[in-house]
Amino acid sequence: MPTLSTGERVHVTKIVDRRTPAADVVVLGVRAPQLARFAKPGQFVMVVPPAGEVASVALGIYEAQGDRMSVLFFVSGKRTTELARLQEGDELTITGPLGNGFFLDDAPSEVGIVAGGVGVASVLTSAQELLKNGCRVQLYYGARTQERLVDMDLFARAGCEVHAATDDGSFGYRGVVTDLLARAARPPRLLLACGPSPMLRAVARVAAEIDIPAQLSLEETFACGVGGCWGCVVPIVRTSAQAPSFPPAVLGGSDVVNARVCKEGPVFWAHELRW
Amino acid sequence: MPTLSTGERVHVTKIVDRRTPAADVVVLGVRAPQLARFAKPGQFVMVVPPAGEVASVALGIYEAQGDRMSVLFFVSGKRTTELARLQEGDELTITGPLGNGFFLDDAPSEVGIVAGGVGVASVLTSAQELLKNGCRVQLYYGARTQERLVDMDLFARAGCEVHAATDDGSFGYRGVVTDLLARAARPPRLLLACGPSPMLRAVARVAAEIDIPAQLSLEETFACGVGGCWGCVVPIVRTSAQAPSFPPAVLGGSDVVNARVCKEGPVFWAHELRW
Amino acid sequence: MVTRMQPDLSVRIGKLDLAYPTLMGSGCYGSGAEFEPFVDLARIGGVVLKSVTRAPRLGNPTPRLVHTPAGMLNAIGLQNPGIAWYLAHDVAKFASRPCKVIGSVAGFSVDDYAVVCEQLAARDEIHAIELNISCPNVASEGETFACDPRLTARVVRAARATTGKTLIVKLSPNVTDIAAIAREAEAAGADALAVVNTVRGMAIDVDAWHPRLGNVTGGLSGPAIRPIAVLAVYEVARAVKIPIVGQGGIETVTDALEFFLAGASAISIGTANFTDPRVPETIVDGLSEYLARRKLASIRDIVGRANLGFANAYQFEGDEG
Amino acid sequence: MVTRMQPDLSVRIGKLDLAYPTLMGSGCYGSGAEFEPFVDLARIGGVVLKSVTRAPRLGNPTPRLVHTPAGMLNAIGLQNPGIAWYLAHDVAKFASRPCKVIGSVAGFSVDDYAVVCEQLAARDEIHAIELNISCPNVASEGETFACDPRLTARVVRAARATTGKTLIVKLSPNVTDIAAIAREAEAAGADALAVVNTVRGMAIDVDAWHPRLGNVTGGLSGPAIRPIAVLAVYEVARAVKIPIVGQGGIETVTDALEFFLAGASAISIGTANFTDPRVPETIVDGLSEYLARRKLASIRDIVGRANLGFANAYQFEGDEG
Ligand SMILES: Cc1cc2nc3c(=O)[nH]c(=O)nc-3n(C[C@H](O)[C@H](O)[C@H](O)COP(=O)(O)OP(=O)(O)OC[C@H]3O[C@@H](n4cnc5c(N)ncnc54)[C@H](O)[C@@H]3O)c2cc1C
Ligand SMILES: Cc1cc2nc3c(=O)[nH]c(=O)nc-3n(C[C@H](O)[C@H](O)[C@H](O)COP(=O)(O)OP(=O)(O)OC[C@H]3O[C@@H](n4cnc5c(N)ncnc54)[C@H](O)[C@@H]3O)c2cc1C
Ligand SMILES: Cc1cc2nc3c(=O)[nH]c(=O)nc-3n(C[C@H](O)[C@H](O)[C@H](O)COP(=O)(O)O)c2cc1C
Ligand SMILES: Cc1cc2nc3c(=O)[nH]c(=O)nc-3n(C[C@H](O)[C@H](O)[C@H](O)COP(=O)(O)O)c2cc1C
Ligand code: FES
Ligand code: FES
């Protein structure tokens, strides 16, 4: 049997709590000591779907504390519908933690976190870690309506400054969250972002405009989640520390390679992406 | 919209009770006034599987009284596993009642009912009807072990004489139920049977030996359940009242046609079958 | 208050006018009457009848059906009373159906198809003919026709010569190049193509060590084959100009839309009726709603529109394939 | 107490001895290392590496994956660093795998296959070679080889000439007659056949009106295709004498047994690893248990035994097909 100092392995867990912070949004908490212990901010897990659906579901690690970790997901398709049916006491098999999380080691003292929709699931642990290290953390959180802005209090209680935006103006700024970010009175010195692809592209633009670095947690359809199938790639510049061992190709004048979002990511520096 | 005096249609029902009389055996009771009202003994329903499985599940009508009807099933594959997960309050869509039930109109005063395993699900309403009409009803009930002999008390309370057999002898006669039937001190004058195919063939043999008629409720894999796909056939002699409108073919010297178990059946007279 | 236009769901397949673009698949829906207790047949386009052959057939031994992941295998083996009995006993009843009735013809020789097609098409109760040259469940050459471009051409020509009614030719997915077969069928005079029949498959009972179907092999249908069928429609639509009746695993309005966007002018629903007989009406309602939401006047406006390509497709310099 | 014999799960595929009859499918399992945190590789037979080509390939644009009912579509497009880089940077690492390592070769010409096969087979870290002549996801002739008996023969002969190592030829299900292709591959010198690669398919985004895969079409894998794959194995087993590596939708021990009974000497697991990485070990345990329960000494005792026919098959007098 392989012995793993990282705690990467298959975890047969039990659901210890379940809540629905918004319509079609579910948080499942499980007892999983190894997972909770080894998870780094921004990493994800693969959740084995109950009822025989094909392919595990990639979900961010929402909370990780003591014996417990949780996932937060939007009920969008077959597999998340099946996951949403699970109740306290049910078993859930999870592999992970997987991927590289956010790079927080040399984080500056003022960090902005941008979350869109269920992207919020992948940033709470980063906020907690940064706050613990004495950072000032601003959360820019966007959603369609007020009801979909879930768990803002968790972030506020942890010590974040929360700036919210909704498409319909039902809470906070009316418009997209990146507009709110672009108007920030005191811009942060590093951005971490997770959300739908158009939001991430906008974050990259704003970051370039105000000239600060940004780390983006990408989403792609996964199959294996561990780097085995090359299904989840994104082109990045060859010089990146995360570039896989591959001969380069030329795209728009730079040397690029297709990196796996699950293995070399899911977090990439905005300036490295050639998407 | 078609108007149906028979009450045959699609019923969106609600589960009002659920119990598990034995391991892997589930009884689901639903509120379905039309179904309960129009169901005849020995008819079946098609239950739309939850969670997107393909093809409805054919199940006998176990109980039908007042507003309520129930099904009793063995958890054997994907679809019954899904059905078994349902809880009180969940919705269940059911079409039926379907097929011809047992032919009880000219039943003699002493009837034997043979049930094997979950075949018991298709005979309770017949027992009730016969008893109501003043018949003497003997139940010959076989199962693998005592635990799998479910709801014997329901039959006893209704007024049946219950004779049980188990493969392992853990209750009643040790051996197959048809051996017990063959030894009956006072044989009934008509047999109704539902159970696995080897049992039904044995019932047909015993009935021929002691020279009494037998009605067998057959089981075949169904697709449509309403006579549309011709997937569920059994060869019967052409002269049967149940024979479908088809030119005859010759099998073992008799004129036969392939009848649909779902439409011309599921109940056939033993002497008509050429299987 | 604004009066909302009801989107137009009618389509024309050859000379056949359908009020709704939804047919019920041959062999899955009897003659329609079997499903009348559950569905308003006036709200579907038409029923494709169970395939009929020249001589009566008792079909294959049971088991004829096996459930598989997201699908099922069937091997009915074309059980039917033969054309003579059919004309004498069954066809008259079809006159009362409140939807279009499409006959389906199967056979074992070019002559078989021509004879049965002629006799069936001569009847007023039958509004169009589908040639089932792609049944995978008969021991002899049942499927060979749709697997061979030349045989396809011959059988279609022969049937075409017997009738002026709309002729729909049903193709098999079990071929290397379905577009080539489609082109032959079109050139030989088909008015439309049904794409696709079932995919050949097999299941084995691992306890009893024998095939789970009496016929050993069968045809796979249901959602499992939908991606295969969508591609077949997409490829055939690029090869021919005649309309396509798309089918294979359609269960929901989303599934149906995939086929229209791939290039089908109408769709056919088979296996989904076994799961839930409300599916045909649910899909018709869903199509109306989809078109209304997008302010489209007709279902015809979306046929074959899945070809807009990708915004984010990248091209690398020097990439070879 | 009775000492129970542990059933023998070892099999021989050409010259390749496998301790367990379970390979991990090419393109699904990286080089094995990616799955080591979850599985004991010493308890599987071997890993078939991701296919490698002569020149480096960046593969297809994303999305490369789509989930479908009981399956998934992929269109990776053979992303790989090319044989030169592969030999220089990657192959040495394979020496440490505690199971057999099978190289997979893809190409666009007969020459491509011969060149890559020769260079790869020359390395000690590679225990056998699989020829992927059936990849449906490359724009040019990627799959043409396995769809044409003559091309199959030519490419297999050319590869055969370069190495004495076990040569497994991977066939496509997207053909009219897979047995004919199998016979050509055998005659041209294949030691074994991998049956089957993915089934061609497509999915359409009905909101955005474009294909859901960057490559438009893709290959369908997973339980949805299992009945198709089981039949392919059954037909190929009746056409050739060389061993078959069965694959397509294997998730459980029951699924695996279907393939052995159909005629496979070994199986390959691909998509199921994406659902649950414990599948390979679960299947190995399940096979041992099944054989022990039936008092069979070896997995080899069940290969091809699904042909016992039906007790209840009836024959009607005068029935024609
Ligand atoms: C690293 C990573 C982390 C993630 N973390 C999270 C997280 O924390 N929380 C979370 O909620 N999600 C997260 N996701 C996303 C999640 O994995 C996916 O949403 C997952 O695919 C949902 O599975 P499903 O089977 O329920 O939906 P799927 O069936 O896979 O469907 C996914 C989407 O496709 C759409 N779709 C399906 N069929 C069609 C069609 N024919 N036409 C058009 N659209 C169609 C559906 O409507 C749905 O929106 C993460 C993804 C990655 C890669
Ligand atoms: C008229 C009628 C009435 C019925 N009434 C009842 C009833 O009242 N109660 C009841 O419990 N059942 C009843 N049945 C039977 C019931 O409909 C079936 O058991 C149903 O198919 C179960 O569905 P499933 O999806 O759960 O199992 P399925 O997946 O359909 O599997 C059914 C059986 O096949 C076996 N199987 C599956 N795959 C394989 C394989 N690869 N190799 C070998 N074996 C395999 C399974 O183990 C299982 O035993 C009735 C059937 C009919 C026709
Ligand atoms: C039980 C069954 C019987 C069928 N019989 C016929 C038939 O007689 N003639 C025919 O052309 N197609 C027949 N088919 C094929 C269907 O009409 C349809 O083309 C196919 O099943 C794919 O569609 P679906 O997935 O919606 O069922 C049959 C299919 C099933 C499932
Ligand atoms: C994501 C993915 C990538 C694949 N890449 C390859 C490949 O590079 N070479 C190859 O021969 N087969 C490839 N295949 C096919 C598999 O090896 C296997 O033959 C097929 O998926 C059927 O088995 P399964 O249903 O168990 O996955 C790939 C399959 C998948 C799902
Ligand atoms: S999902 Fe398989 S490599 Fe990323
Ligand atoms: S199940 Fe379709 S005819 Fe009986």
Side-chain angles (χ1 to χ4, degrees), chain C residues 197-217:
Chain C
N197 211 318
T198 53
V199 181
R200 294 182 65 233
M202 176 180 185
I204 292 170
D205 186 323
V206 306
D207 297 321
W209 287 16
H210 61 57
R212 296 186 70 196
L213 288 171
N215 185 52
V216 180
T217 72

PDB file of all heavy atoms in Angstrom, chain C residues 197-217:
ATOM      1  N   ASN C 197     -31.942   3.902 -36.439  1.00  0.00           N
ATOM      2  CA  ASN C 197     -32.461   2.716 -35.774  1.00  0.00           C
ATOM      3  C   ASN C 197     -31.530   2.356 -34.608  1.00  0.00           C
ATOM      4  O   ASN C 197     -30.594   3.094 -34.308  1.00  0.00           O
ATOM      5  CB  ASN C 197     -32.533   1.560 -36.783  1.00  0.00           C
ATOM      6  CG  ASN C 197     -33.685   0.600 -36.473  1.00  0.00           C
ATOM      7  OD1 ASN C 197     -33.913   0.266 -35.314  1.00  0.00           O
ATOM      8  ND2 ASN C 197     -34.396   0.151 -37.485  1.00  0.00           N
ATOM      9  N   THR C 198     -31.767   1.237 -33.969  1.00  0.00           N
ATOM     10  CA  THR C 198     -30.988   0.855 -32.777  1.00  0.00           C
ATOM     11  C   THR C 198     -29.543   0.453 -33.117  1.00  0.00           C
ATOM     12  O   THR C 198     -29.237   0.077 -34.243  1.00  0.00           O
ATOM     13  CB  THR C 198     -31.674  -0.312 -32.059  1.00  0.00           C
ATOM     14  OG1 THR C 198     -31.910  -1.363 -33.000  1.00  0.00           O
ATOM     15  CG2 THR C 198     -32.992   0.118 -31.452  1.00  0.00           C
ATOM     16  N   VAL C 199     -28.689   0.520 -32.111  1.00  0.00           N
ATOM     17  CA  VAL C 199     -27.284   0.159 -32.235  1.00  0.00           C
ATOM     18  C   VAL C 199     -27.127  -1.295 -31.783  1.00  0.00           C
ATOM     19  O   VAL C 199     -27.661  -1.679 -30.733  1.00  0.00           O
ATOM     20  CB  VAL C 199     -26.411   1.075 -31.341  1.00  0.00           C
ATOM     21  CG1 VAL C 199     -24.938   0.727 -31.478  1.00  0.00           C
ATOM     22  CG2 VAL C 199     -26.652   2.541 -31.687  1.00  0.00           C
ATOM     23  N   ARG C 200     -26.400  -2.092 -32.546  1.00  0.00           N
ATOM     24  CA  ARG C 200     -26.288  -3.512 -32.188  1.00  0.00           C
ATOM     25  C   ARG C 200     -25.542  -3.698 -30.864  1.00  0.00           C
ATOM     26  O   ARG C 200     -24.529  -3.042 -30.614  1.00  0.00           O
ATOM     27  CB  ARG C 200     -25.577  -4.296 -33.286  1.00  0.00           C
ATOM     28  CG  ARG C 200     -26.398  -4.343 -34.572  1.00  0.00           C
ATOM     29  CD  ARG C 200     -25.705  -5.170 -35.642  1.00  0.00           C
ATOM     30  NE  ARG C 200     -25.606  -6.556 -35.233  1.00  0.00           N
ATOM     31  CZ  ARG C 200     -24.491  -7.270 -35.215  1.00  0.00           C
ATOM     32  NH1 ARG C 200     -23.357  -6.725 -35.597  1.00  0.00           N
ATOM     33  NH2 ARG C 200     -24.507  -8.519 -34.817  1.00  0.00           N
ATOM     34  N   GLY C 201     -26.053  -4.587 -30.015  1.00  0.00           N
ATOM     35  CA  GLY C 201     -25.418  -4.826 -28.738  1.00  0.00           C
ATOM     36  C   GLY C 201     -25.781  -6.176 -28.171  1.00  0.00           C
ATOM     37  O   GLY C 201     -26.576  -6.928 -28.756  1.00  0.00           O
ATOM     38  N   MET C 202     -25.219  -6.475 -27.003  1.00  0.00           N
ATOM     39  CA  MET C 202     -25.393  -7.792 -26.399  1.00  0.00           C
ATOM     40  C   MET C 202     -25.180  -7.672 -24.893  1.00  0.00           C
ATOM     41  O   MET C 202     -24.412  -6.838 -24.430  1.00  0.00           O
ATOM     42  CB  MET C 202     -24.338  -8.733 -26.995  1.00  0.00           C
ATOM     43  CG  MET C 202     -24.322 -10.126 -26.412  1.00  0.00           C
ATOM     44  SD  MET C 202     -23.038 -11.103 -27.229  1.00  0.00           S
ATOM     45  CE  MET C 202     -23.344 -12.695 -26.477  1.00  0.00           C
ATOM     46  N   ALA C 203     -25.880  -8.518 -24.153  1.00  0.00           N
ATOM     47  CA  ALA C 203     -25.637  -8.595 -22.711  1.00  0.00           C
ATOM     48  C   ALA C 203     -25.591 -10.064 -22.331  1.00  0.00           C
ATOM     49  O   ALA C 203     -26.253 -10.891 -22.959  1.00  0.00           O
ATOM     50  CB  ALA C 203     -26.738  -7.878 -21.936  1.00  0.00           C
ATOM     51  N   ILE C 204     -24.802 -10.365 -21.314  1.00  0.00           N
ATOM     52  CA  ILE C 204     -24.573 -11.758 -20.938  1.00  0.00           C
ATOM     53  C   ILE C 204     -24.966 -11.967 -19.483  1.00  0.00           C
ATOM     54  O   ILE C 204     -24.660 -11.145 -18.619  1.00  0.00           O
ATOM     55  CB  ILE C 204     -23.088 -12.122 -21.169  1.00  0.00           C
ATOM     56  CG1 ILE C 204     -22.799 -12.127 -22.679  1.00  0.00           C
ATOM     57  CG2 ILE C 204     -22.742 -13.469 -20.538  1.00  0.00           C
ATOM     58  CD1 ILE C 204     -21.346 -12.241 -23.035  1.00  0.00           C
ATOM     59  N   ASP C 205     -25.657 -13.040 -19.222  1.00  0.00           N
ATOM     60  CA  ASP C 205     -26.009 -13.410 -17.856  1.00  0.00           C
ATOM     61  C   ASP C 205     -24.804 -14.117 -17.247  1.00  0.00           C
ATOM     62  O   ASP C 205     -24.454 -15.218 -17.666  1.00  0.00           O
ATOM     63  CB  ASP C 205     -27.235 -14.335 -17.892  1.00  0.00           C
ATOM     64  CG  ASP C 205     -27.752 -14.645 -16.503  1.00  0.00           C
ATOM     65  OD1 ASP C 205     -26.923 -14.806 -15.574  1.00  0.00           O
ATOM     66  OD2 ASP C 205     -28.977 -14.733 -16.334  1.00  0.00           O
ATOM     67  N   VAL C 206     -24.186 -13.466 -16.270  1.00  0.00           N
ATOM     68  CA  VAL C 206     -22.920 -13.989 -15.758  1.00  0.00           C
ATOM     69  C   VAL C 206     -23.126 -15.100 -14.739  1.00  0.00           C
ATOM     70  O   VAL C 206     -22.161 -15.744 -14.326  1.00  0.00           O
ATOM     71  CB  VAL C 206     -22.045 -12.870 -15.156  1.00  0.00           C
ATOM     72  CG1 VAL C 206     -21.851 -11.749 -16.171  1.00  0.00           C
ATOM     73  CG2 VAL C 206     -22.625 -12.335 -13.862  1.00  0.00           C
ATOM     74  N   ASP C 207     -24.354 -15.318 -14.323  1.00  0.00           N
ATOM     75  CA  ASP C 207     -24.630 -16.475 -13.469  1.00  0.00           C
ATOM     76  C   ASP C 207     -24.895 -17.712 -14.318  1.00  0.00           C
ATOM     77  O   ASP C 207     -24.378 -18.788 -14.049  1.00  0.00           O
ATOM     78  CB  ASP C 207     -25.839 -16.196 -12.573  1.00  0.00           C
ATOM     79  CG  ASP C 207     -25.571 -15.048 -11.622  1.00  0.00           C
ATOM     80  OD1 ASP C 207     -24.434 -14.949 -11.105  1.00  0.00           O
ATOM     81  OD2 ASP C 207     -26.475 -14.226 -11.417  1.00  0.00           O
ATOM     82  N   ALA C 208     -25.703 -17.529 -15.371  1.00  0.00           N
ATOM     83  CA  ALA C 208     -26.131 -18.672 -16.181  1.00  0.00           C
ATOM     84  C   ALA C 208     -25.208 -18.947 -17.366  1.00  0.00           C
ATOM     85  O   ALA C 208     -25.341 -19.969 -18.025  1.00  0.00           O
ATOM     86  CB  ALA C 208     -27.552 -18.434 -16.686  1.00  0.00           C
ATOM     87  N   TRP C 209     -24.262 -18.022 -17.629  1.00  0.00           N
ATOM     88  CA  TRP C 209     -23.341 -18.200 -18.746  1.00  0.00           C
ATOM     89  C   TRP C 209     -24.042 -18.323 -20.089  1.00  0.00           C
ATOM     90  O   TRP C 209     -23.693 -19.182 -20.919  1.00  0.00           O
ATOM     91  CB  TRP C 209     -22.439 -19.431 -18.526  1.00  0.00           C
ATOM     92  CG  TRP C 209     -21.396 -19.215 -17.481  1.00  0.00           C
ATOM     93  CD1 TRP C 209     -21.350 -18.234 -16.554  1.00  0.00           C
ATOM     94  CD2 TRP C 209     -20.217 -20.013 -17.263  1.00  0.00           C
ATOM     95  NE1 TRP C 209     -20.244 -18.366 -15.758  1.00  0.00           N
ATOM     96  CE2 TRP C 209     -19.531 -19.450 -16.172  1.00  0.00           C
ATOM     97  CE3 TRP C 209     -19.691 -21.142 -17.871  1.00  0.00           C
ATOM     98  CZ2 TRP C 209     -18.342 -19.983 -15.678  1.00  0.00           C
ATOM     99  CZ3 TRP C 209     -18.508 -21.677 -17.384  1.00  0.00           C
ATOM    100  CH2 TRP C 209     -17.832 -21.118 -16.305  1.00  0.00           C
ATOM    101  N   HIS C 210     -25.031 -17.506 -20.330  1.00  0.00           N
ATOM    102  CA  HIS C 210     -25.578 -17.440 -21.675  1.00  0.00           C
ATOM    103  C   HIS C 210     -26.040 -16.022 -21.965  1.00  0.00           C
ATOM    104  O   HIS C 210     -26.183 -15.204 -21.045  1.00  0.00           O
ATOM    105  CB  HIS C 210     -26.680 -18.477 -21.905  1.00  0.00           C
ATOM    106  CG  HIS C 210     -27.871 -18.322 -21.008  1.00  0.00           C
ATOM    107  ND1 HIS C 210     -28.611 -17.177 -20.937  1.00  0.00           N
ATOM    108  CD2 HIS C 210     -28.443 -19.190 -20.148  1.00  0.00           C
ATOM    109  CE1 HIS C 210     -29.584 -17.347 -20.066  1.00  0.00           C
ATOM    110  NE2 HIS C 210     -29.506 -18.552 -19.567  1.00  0.00           N
ATOM    111  N   PRO C 211     -26.259 -15.711 -23.240  1.00  0.00           N
ATOM    112  CA  PRO C 211     -26.724 -14.369 -23.592  1.00  0.00           C
ATOM    113  C   PRO C 211     -28.047 -14.070 -22.894  1.00  0.00           C
ATOM    114  O   PRO C 211     -28.850 -14.979 -22.665  1.00  0.00           O
ATOM    115  CB  PRO C 211     -26.916 -14.451 -25.113  1.00  0.00           C
ATOM    116  CG  PRO C 211     -26.041 -15.575 -25.557  1.00  0.00           C
ATOM    117  CD  PRO C 211     -26.046 -16.558 -24.431  1.00  0.00           C
ATOM    118  N   ARG C 212     -28.280 -12.807 -22.568  1.00  0.00           N
ATOM    119  CA  ARG C 212     -29.508 -12.442 -21.868  1.00  0.00           C
ATOM    120  C   ARG C 212     -30.693 -12.280 -22.811  1.00  0.00           C
ATOM    121  O   ARG C 212     -31.823 -12.162 -22.350  1.00  0.00           O
ATOM    122  CB  ARG C 212     -29.285 -11.172 -21.038  1.00  0.00           C
ATOM    123  CG  ARG C 212     -28.236 -11.397 -19.925  1.00  0.00           C
ATOM    124  CD  ARG C 212     -28.106 -10.203 -19.014  1.00  0.00           C
ATOM    125  NE  ARG C 212     -29.283 -10.041 -18.185  1.00  0.00           N
ATOM    126  CZ  ARG C 212     -29.589  -8.935 -17.516  1.00  0.00           C
ATOM    127  NH1 ARG C 212     -28.793  -7.885 -17.610  1.00  0.00           N
ATOM    128  NH2 ARG C 212     -30.679  -8.869 -16.790  1.00  0.00           N
ATOM    129  N   LEU C 213     -30.462 -12.249 -24.095  1.00  0.00           N
ATOM    130  CA  LEU C 213     -31.548 -12.199 -25.077  1.00  0.00           C
ATOM    131  C   LEU C 213     -31.684 -13.552 -25.766  1.00  0.00           C
ATOM    132  O   LEU C 213     -30.668 -14.183 -26.099  1.00  0.00           O
ATOM    133  CB  LEU C 213     -31.264 -11.146 -26.149  1.00  0.00           C
ATOM    134  CG  LEU C 213     -31.374  -9.676 -25.752  1.00  0.00           C
ATOM    135  CD1 LEU C 213     -30.849  -8.776 -26.856  1.00  0.00           C
ATOM    136  CD2 LEU C 213     -32.825  -9.313 -25.408  1.00  0.00           C
ATOM    137  N   GLY C 214     -32.910 -13.961 -26.012  1.00  0.00           N
ATOM    138  CA  GLY C 214     -33.133 -15.217 -26.717  1.00  0.00           C
ATOM    139  C   GLY C 214     -32.472 -15.232 -28.088  1.00  0.00           C
ATOM    140  O   GLY C 214     -32.030 -16.269 -28.567  1.00  0.00           O
ATOM    141  N   ASN C 215     -32.383 -14.051 -28.697  1.00  0.00           N
ATOM    142  CA  ASN C 215     -31.788 -13.917 -30.026  1.00  0.00           C
ATOM    143  C   ASN C 215     -30.282 -13.694 -29.970  1.00  0.00           C
ATOM    144  O   ASN C 215     -29.661 -13.411 -30.986  1.00  0.00           O
ATOM    145  CB  ASN C 215     -32.453 -12.729 -30.730  1.00  0.00           C
ATOM    146  CG  ASN C 215     -32.011 -12.563 -32.156  1.00  0.00           C
ATOM    147  OD1 ASN C 215     -32.056 -13.513 -32.927  1.00  0.00           O
ATOM    148  ND2 ASN C 215     -31.547 -11.370 -32.512  1.00  0.00           N
ATOM    149  N   VAL C 216     -29.671 -13.795 -28.791  1.00  0.00           N
ATOM    150  CA  VAL C 216     -28.248 -13.546 -28.537  1.00  0.00           C
ATOM    151  C   VAL C 216     -27.923 -12.059 -28.630  1.00  0.00           C
ATOM    152  O   VAL C 216     -27.474 -11.459 -27.667  1.00  0.00           O
ATOM    153  CB  VAL C 216     -27.318 -14.364 -29.465  1.00  0.00           C
ATOM    154  CG1 VAL C 216     -25.860 -14.068 -29.150  1.00  0.00           C
ATOM    155  CG2 VAL C 216     -27.597 -15.866 -29.310  1.00  0.00           C
ATOM    156  N   THR C 217     -28.128 -11.437 -29.794  1.00  0.00           N
ATOM    157  CA  THR C 217     -27.825 -10.018 -29.926  1.00  0.00           C
ATOM    158  C   THR C 217     -29.121  -9.218 -30.060  1.00  0.00           C
ATOM    159  O   THR C 217     -30.177  -9.784 -30.340  1.00  0.00           O
ATOM    160  CB  THR C 217     -26.954  -9.733 -31.164  1.00  0.00           C
ATOM    161  OG1 THR C 217     -27.757  -9.891 -32.325  1.00  0.00           O
ATOM    162  CG2 THR C 217     -25.784 -10.693 -31.235  1.00  0.00           C
TER     163      THR C 217
END
